[in-house]
Amino acid sequence: MAADDPAGAAASSSTPEADAPLVTTGADSNPSGIRPVLQNLVATCNLAVELDLKTIAMHVRNTEYNPKRFSGLICRIREPKTTALIFKSGKVVVMGAKSEEEARLSARKYARIIQKVDFPVRFTEFKIQNMVASCDVKFPIRLEGLAYKHSHYSSYEPELFPGLIYRMQSPKIVLLIFVSGKVVLTGGKVRNEIHQAFEQIYPVLQEFRKATAADHA
């Protein structure tokens, strides 16, 4: 990772839209009755000042700085429990927050920590870059059938990775779908994108619901 190019959103490569688009539901509707839970947010901000990372590492607890291995300084706080990558340029990447509020609070705390080392920081350009959420539909899924019917959006190679990778075009979200019914969604910058993507994929998951012994009882 370059010092002035911190981690941004998880990139999802585009694929041609050949199949009919999935049924779109309103961002506020919740027909599935399931809400994906946020597990991790990645946010960035700019402190608008060049930083001496060695000086910060010497004066701040819970930091790691080894420029031969990584150009940024790693800093951790306990509340909210997050990790920051701090770069000489003044750019900061915050990881591990469970909500937008936690991400912003953490970023401000890191700015304050650096300010106390006598750097004239300004808290600017705060932005959520990526959201990761997960949920469980509570039924097993036939991934082979889903991958075959939605081949333009899906990648499924169980010998390499146990989940099906579904690259939704709108909203632009990547879903990891597992045979157990667990679903991970990534790539969103706002919650509505995560919720809308799940509501769009849920009827597809129901279509490929795997029959179980309980269904025949």
Side-chain angles (χ1 to χ4, degrees), residues 1-14:
M1 186 185 303
D4 293 330
D5 186 24
S12 54
S13 56
S14 58

Side-chain angles (χ1 to χ4, degrees), residues 33-208:
I34 299 171
R35 276 292 193 216
V37 176
L38 291 178
Q39 302 293 343
N40 182 27
L41 278 77
V42 176
T44 57
C45 67
N46 191 340
L47 303 183
V49 64
E50 186 167 304
L51 302 173
D52 182 338
L53 301 182
K54 186 176 180 180
T55 297
I56 295 170
M58 289 172 61
H59 289 85
V60 177
R61 297 174 59 189
N62 299 317
T63 59
E64 298 175 28
Y65 183 51
N66 186 344
K68 291 182 179 179
R69 294 181 57 189
F70 178 59
S71 58
L73 178 142
I74 302 169
C75 184
R76 295 180 175 86
I77 58 175
R78 292 183 179 177
E79 190 58 43
K81 189 176 180 181
T82 55
T83 300
L85 308 179
I86 302 168
F87 297 87
K88 180 181 177 182
S89 64
K91 293 182 180 179
V92 179
V93 181
V94 178
M95 305 173 292
K98 304 281 189 183
S99 69
E100 299 91 332
E101 296 77 16
E102 280 193 5
R104 180 177 287 275
L105 176 60
S106 295
R108 285 192 174 278
K109 282 192 173 185
Y110 290 116
R112 183 64 58 85
I113 287 168
I114 295 169
Q115 188 178 46
K116 288 181 178 179
V117 191
D118 287 336
F119 288 97
V121 307
R122 290 191 298 117
F123 186 78
T124 68
E125 300 174 19
F126 176 83
K127 187 177 181 182
I128 300 293
Q129 297 289 356
N130 185 31
M131 292 182 168
V132 179
S134 65
C135 59
D136 188 348
V137 297
K138 304 293 186 183
F139 55 78
I141 301 164
R142 292 185 292 111
L143 298 183
E144 295 87 352
L146 198 166
Y148 179 77
K149 186 166 182 181
H150 293 263
S151 59
H152 292 284
Y153 307 105
S154 302
S155 172
Y156 182 49
E157 300 181 69
E159 66 277 5
L160 299 178
F161 180 69
L164 179 146
I165 302 170
Y166 193 103
R167 301 183 187 277
M168 190 172 285
Q169 297 298 298
S170 181
K172 205 168 184 64
I173 299 293
V174 176
L175 301 96
L176 308 179
I177 303 167
F178 297 90
V179 66
S180 65
K182 297 276 199 314
V183 180
V184 177
L185 306 94
T186 185
K189 293 180 185 290
V190 294
R191 288 188 192 227
N192 279 350
E193 291 178 346
I194 296 289
H195 296 160
Q196 185 183 350
F198 179 73
E199 292 303 330
Q200 288 183 205
I201 202 68
Y202 187 69
V204 177
L205 302 182
Q206 287 182 308
E207 179 184 353
F208 292 97

